[in-house]
Structure formats: C-alpha cells, structure tokens
Amino acid sequence: MSAAQPPTQSKSKPSEDLIYTELYNSILERRLPPEAKLGENLLAEHYGVSRTIVRQVLQRLAHDRLVKLEPNRGAFVSSLSLEEAKQIYQAWRLTEAEIVRDVTKTITRKQIAVLKKLVAEERQACEAQDIPRLTRLSAQFHMQLADLCRNKFLARFMKELVPQTSLAFFYEVKSMPICTKDEHSELLDYIASGNEEAAVAAAMRHLDGIEAALNARVSLRKPNSLVELLNTRIPSLCSTKLG
C-alpha cells in the first residue's frame, strides 16, 4: 500500500482526506502527543469545515488506532502502556526481519535509488535538527521498505505497526540512532549487496537502538494549545500521508 495522495484542493476549504492526512502526519511526527484532546468544534473552526467532516476524520483515525473515541468525553490521541510499547517493538523486529530477507532477494537499482534519496533527506533533517520531519522520514523509510516486500500481508501489518510507536514514547533528540549513526544507509548497503544475514542483523541493531533511545512522554513539556500544535503543520497541508 503506497502513500496516500490527497486530492487537488480548492482554495476555500480542505477536504476530509486532506484533514485526515494532516492529523495522521501530525501524530506520526509526534507533534500531537498521546492523550491530546482533539475537540470537534476547535478542529472544525481551525479547518473551516463542518463538525460532520471532522467527526468522519476522527473515525478514520480511530480505525487506524491513532485516536480513541470516548463517550461523553470526545476524541483523544491514543496512548500505549510501557508493556504495549515493548510488544510493538517485538512484533516490529519479527516482521522487519522477514521483510528485509525478502526485499534483499528482489530489490532493484531503481528502488535502491529511491530509498537512498529518502535517507539523504533524513540526514538533512538531522543536521537541521528538524526532529518532527526526521521522525516522519524515518518511519517512512521502514514503510517504503515494507512496500517492496512480496508478502503484502507482512507489508500491511508493518504499515499499521510503525505509526503506533508514536503513541507511547518520544525520542530524546541527542540520542536518536539515525542522528548518531547513519544506520539506514548501512542497512540499505547490505540489502543492495544481497547480504541477507548482514542486512537482518543491521535491522535488528537499528531497532534495538531506537527502543533504547526512547524517553517516557512524562518528561515532555506540555503544549499550550491544540491550535498552536496544528499551526506548526499549516505549510504542509498538501503533504502526503506516510503509510
């Protein structure tokens, strides 16, 4: 399943698909933290659309398990317990290992070039300390790698799994593995050379490092308001959904 492309928009109001894409990416980038309240009235006013459209968007995000809908309370960004987070990383390791094995056997030069371009964008974001963009691009690397897997059930599971990591913990900027070492490039080099076992080992080291570099969200500085968080992504309203 490739990244969703929002339809062409009029200048008046964003569509349901575009608002969905924007909120999805905001959660993936960790701009909207776990337990953040997503008020229907506020979102409708912010985007200039009806509450019906906002409600439909929130329903779709709930289906993705990124939002939880609570009776008489409203919508909130989902959260995960520490144990749930550990289970997600365990499932990620098992799934990624099989994906890497398969992709190593079939990847083409063109596909390698596309992934190398994405890795270069990650490095630029890292050097600029643009952590939200880096976080999104890092997730995109794993999901695009999954897209190349011939087993589409594994690919679909991976693309449902990776965004869930945004719901429990946040990266400590200075210790993000992708910033301290170019691990995606290392993994891609092994895949490109056809070294299946080395590629799987590199993928496992990478995921071990990611999990070890996570900080509990309780240490985060709480945002002032949902509107302020949403405003940080206004320039990217036409971006694609990653996943």
Side-chain angles (χ1 to χ4, degrees):
M1 181 167 55
S2 59
Q5 178 67 48
T8 302
Q9 297 298 306
S10 66
K11 293 183 179 181
S12 55
K13 296 181 181 180
S15 70
E16 175 190 327
D17 284 347
L18 194 146
I19 297 171
Y20 164 77
T21 296
E22 184 66 13
L23 292 177
Y24 179 102
N25 284 347
S26 292
I27 295 171
L28 193 67
E29 292 177 353
R30 297 176 169 89
R31 293 182 187 272
L32 294 177
E35 304 297 340
K37 183 173 176 58
L38 303 174
E40 285 185 10
N41 289 334
L42 187 151
L43 290 171
E45 182 178 352
H46 179 75
Y47 288 111
V49 297
S50 69
R51 288 180 60 190
T52 299
I53 291 177
V54 169
R55 195 172 298 119
Q56 291 169 342
V57 168
L58 295 175
Q59 289 281 357
R60 291 170 64 180
L61 291 168
H63 182 266
D64 295 332
R65 301 179 185 178
L66 297 179
V67 165
K68 58 182 178 181
L69 305 176
E70 299 187 1
N72 303 318
R73 294 194 65 222
F76 299 82
V77 177
S78 298
S79 62
L80 295 173
S81 67
L82 177 58
E83 182 58 32
E84 288 171 329
K86 289 180 177 178
Q87 291 175 8
I88 281 178
Y89 277 93
Q90 181 182 23
W92 188 351
R93 287 183 182 89
L94 293 172
T95 307
E96 180 124 320
E98 292 307 310
I99 287 173
V100 167
R101 290 184 189 280
D102 183 80
V103 172
T104 301
K105 296 182 179 74
T106 62
I107 198 165
T108 66
R109 290 184 180 179
K110 183 177 180 180
Q111 291 166 341
I112 292 169
V114 170
L115 288 172
K116 282 187 174 180
K117 181 179 179 182
L118 179 57
V119 170
E121 292 176 3
E122 286 182 337
R123 300 309 300 173
Q124 291 173 357
C126 182
E127 291 170 3
Q129 294 194 351
D130 186 346
I131 302 306
R133 181 166 176 261
L134 175 60
T135 302
R136 178 164 56 90
L137 290 171
S138 180
Q140 184 180 0
F141 175 87
H142 291 277
M143 290 190 280
Q144 285 191 196
L145 193 64
D147 267 336
L148 303 180
C149 181
R150 292 172 294 181
N151 187 327
K152 297 308 174 186
F153 291 96
L154 283 177
R156 185 188 308 164
F157 180 56
M158 176 66 83
K159 298 184 77 175
E160 292 175 355
L161 195 65
V162 172
Q164 302 296 312
T165 61
S166 300
L167 302 177
F169 296 89
F170 285 69
Y171 285 113
E172 172 66 31
V173 174
K174 63 183 179 182
S175 62
M176 283 187 72
I178 196 66
C179 271
T180 57
K181 184 179 179 182
D182 196 354
E183 295 184 347
H184 284 170
S185 284
E186 180 186 36
L187 171 58
L188 189 55
D189 285 345
Y190 284 129
I191 291 174
S193 68
N195 193 333
E196 184 178 314
E197 293 306 318
V200 171
M204 297 304 99
R205 287 195 301 272
H206 174 58
L207 293 180
D208 288 344
I210 290 177
E211 186 174 10
L214 297 175
N215 270 5
R217 67 178 183 275
V218 294
S219 66
L220 293 175
R221 179 169 53 88
K222 292 185 178 180
N224 292 327
S225 71
L226 175 60
V227 169
E228 289 180 350
L229 288 173
L230 291 173
N231 281 338
T232 64
R233 295 210 87 246
I234 287 297
S236 60
L237 270 174
C238 292
S239 64
T240 57
K241 172 195 168 189
L242 303 181

